[in-house]
Amino acid sequence: MFKKLLCFSITLLVAVSVFSQDYPFNLPSNMEATIHITSSNTEVFNNLLLGTNTHHFSTTKEKDLINKLKPITIRFPHGLWANWYDWRRDVTRLFGEESFQYEQGVNKTIKTKKPDLLANIKIFDTNNIKVGIDGLTSLNATRKLQTGKGFDMMWTFNMSADDKDFNNGSPETIARYNDLISRGFEVKVVELGNENFYPGQRSSIIPNTEDYIARAKSMSAALKAKDPNIKVSVPLLRRDSWANPNWNKDLTEDLTYFDAVTVHTYVGSDPDDSNNSDEAFSTALTARKFLGNSIYDYAHKVAPNKPIWLTEWGVKSGGPNAVSVLGMVDCYIFMSQNQDVFERANWFSVNGQLNSHYVWETYISPSGKERPRIKYPLEKTLFGSAYEIIRLALENTTLIDSNVEVSNLVEGVKAVNARVVTKDGKTSVFVVNLSNQDVPFKVNIDGAAYTETVTHKAITFNKMDEERAMGIDTDPLALISEGSEGITLPKFSINIIELSNATLSTSEIVQEQIINIYPNPTKGVFNIKINNGEKAQYRIYSINGVEVQKGSFISEKQVRFENIQKGIYILQLESDQGISNHKIVVK
């Protein structure tokens, strides 16, 4: 498809546009939106929903990229390669035979299968190509020194490493666990294999569903014997499968051996492909519905009370274009609205080619072949820019209940979606406009119209297929308006609207109430004192938004941290006067 290149040297910004499709939805003309905020209902945002998949941890350049990203979570290893990871050598290698037989379908027809990407696995093994655990170990040690806490790690364990004796206590699993602990990592969450519902990601050691289940139960028991607080997940299908149609049902007949469910959901299609061009952009713009259906129609039908670990996911309609990132942002808003369902999420991937945050280029290798690589100096794709905005809007915030009144694109997907957040005493509305028109946007707080000053910033697009790359340190947001003249959401836009003078019940706690928290920093014991002697509840959250302790008191309380590590924590106090958040430093 013909592409037109536009260069803007002032902003160091490159936009690529292709001939667009027509907007795929029929909306009322002169559409308006109103957000109704109920400020008494709040919850802490779960930062683990902002996780990412990254790879390569060894060279200085690779480490610099990780340090610049400051990832919420690191998943190691990730993708298909996790199923063939030999931790003793830090390489990918074949476990079992080069081909094996498995039972296909409900009739259990015997089929022969080779592991997926077997040729690549052999190359990695022969050339002793390292996955990067030593580099990750050094990165984690540095992070501990700087922040008092290492990375939040999502470990994916090889299901074939313990061989065919499913009653042997999974010795390789435990040896790997011990190695990670000795390296200074936390091992708190473990995926039991990557996408083992696909026969090509299993092996001759676990060829069938019953073999996977037997090994998963053995590994789960062995890991929990080391640490009862470890959580493990099993991978469930997000769509129908001809190879193992009963996979989800079979794995969940016994719900006791796993704590969570891993789901991988990729939403989107290619507008350049005539087979799906009519639906490509509508799929991206309604991505939240596809994401929800991949959970509610599959995993939650068989394991409705198990949290979802969305350890691989993405939205892409042909490339890192406007509709792809609008759908991406709306999915983050959707997950924040369903934190009882989604416990973790890892965008796939940051520095890989699929849904990359960074611009890639081709180069000529010494052998004369064209090879892909990340372009340096680093430039952000729209995925990278959107993720930067999402973290700015949601990370370390308190979510305030709200509802947007606006027309639907389709049933279950509004044309405008939003989350209201507070952070550092500021109240903002994070909004995505999925429509092809500018939308007047009204704000009501506890039934009263907000007419005070706002600062409105956004990234906007003219076309659905617009792509844009920008310098790594370029701010993706531009000022739209400032003042009290009303708010208008530009078409196809991602917005952060700061409400400068919002009066919320969540911010009323400190007006007549003096709160003392001491000592702070603390070595593990601190006091809370409220001067007016009323009853209050407290909750302590990790910097990643995970609740670690809670309780209640009247007037004064001495809090003793229970099995807590050094680092920064958020103390949330709630009383009849409202809610306040306070930073606690454990040294």
Side-chain angles (χ1 to χ4, degrees), residues 233-376:
S233 73
V234 296
L236 293 191
L237 288 157
R238 64 175 176 89
R239 59 188 178 191
D240 294 340
S241 168
W242 59 270
N244 287 103
N246 290 332
W247 176 270
N248 285 6
K249 179 176 176 293
D250 291 342
L251 261 64
T252 57
E253 283 185 359
D254 179 358
L255 295 171
T256 63
Y257 69 99
F258 62 96
D259 306 284
V261 169
T262 293
V263 177
H264 294 170
T265 297
Y266 293 95
V267 179
S269 47
D270 188 350
D272 291 337
D273 181 350
S274 60
N275 292 324
N276 60 38
S277 60
D278 290 340
E279 298 181 355
F281 289 169
S282 64
T283 299
L285 290 169
T286 57
R288 70 156 53 206
K289 188 167 187 175
F290 286 88
L291 175 56
N293 290 345
S294 74
I295 304 300
Y296 304 130
D297 293 347
Y298 292 91
H300 264 209
K301 281 194 171 180
V302 293
N305 297 318
K306 298 290 186 179
I308 300 298
W309 295 355
L310 195 68
T311 58
E312 287 186 24
W313 79 284
V315 179
K316 185 172 71 171
S317 181
N321 54 27
V323 292
S324 299
V325 298
L326 291 169
M328 170 191 186
V329 168
D330 197 30
C331 283
Y332 277 104
I333 292 175
F334 173 71
M335 287 189 284
S336 78
Q337 293 167 334
N338 295 274
Q339 295 193 142
D340 58 327
V341 174
F342 296 96
E343 188 170 86
R344 291 173 169 271
N346 294 65
W347 179 264
F348 196 102
S349 60
V350 168
N351 56 340
Q353 288 184 276
L354 182 59
N355 305 322
S356 180
H357 286 193
Y358 302 109
V359 174
W360 280 60
E361 64 181 2
T362 57
Y363 74 102
I364 305 300
S365 71
S367 64
K369 294 183 178 180
E370 286 192 349
R371 301 289 187 190
R373 66 182 179 190
I374 292 178
K375 181 181 179 181
Y376 278 87

Side-chain angles (χ1 to χ4, degrees), residues 30-47:
N30 302 318
M31 187 171 58
E32 294 185 350
T34 302
I35 186 167
H36 301 278
I37 301 171
T38 305
S39 66
S40 59
N41 296 335
T42 66
E43 62 177 322
V44 173
F45 175 70
N46 176 13
N47 287 341

Side-chain angles (χ1 to χ4, degrees), residues 386-397:
Y387 180 75
E388 183 179 321
I389 296 168
I390 291 161
R391 281 188 71 164
L392 175 65
L394 294 176
E395 189 176 4
N396 299 328
T397 63

Side-chain angles (χ1 to χ4, degrees), residues 80-85 92-102 111-122 158 160 194-196 198-207:
L80 173 148
W81 315 113
N83 294 324
W84 309 105
Y85 180 62
T92 298
R93 71 169 179 86
L94 181 66
F95 286 75
E97 305 300 324
E98 289 193 5
S99 67
F100 58 91
Q101 291 185 327
Y102 76 99
K111 296 286 186 179
T112 300
K113 180 67 179 174
K114 290 184 177 181
D116 292 341
L117 300 181
L118 178 59
N120 299 74
I121 294 169
K122 289 182 176 180
N158 180 343
S160 300
N194 177 83
E195 297 187 357
N196 288 142
Y198 294 133
Q201 295 206 37
R202 300 199 292 266
S203 71
S204 62
I205 297 170
I206 52 162

Side-chain angles (χ1 to χ4, degrees), residues 502-518:
T503 302
L504 307 174
S505 64
T506 56
S507 61
E508 292 175 357
I509 189 169
V510 192
Q511 295 303 315
E512 296 182 0
Q513 183 181 41
I514 298 174
I515 299 173
N516 290 318
I517 301 169
Y518 60 95

Side-chain angles (χ1 to χ4, degrees), residues 65-77:
L65 188 148
I66 297 294
N67 289 329
K68 188 169 188 65
L69 175 66
K70 295 181 174 62
I72 300 291
T73 294
I74 289 181
R75 181 171 173 241
F76 185 92

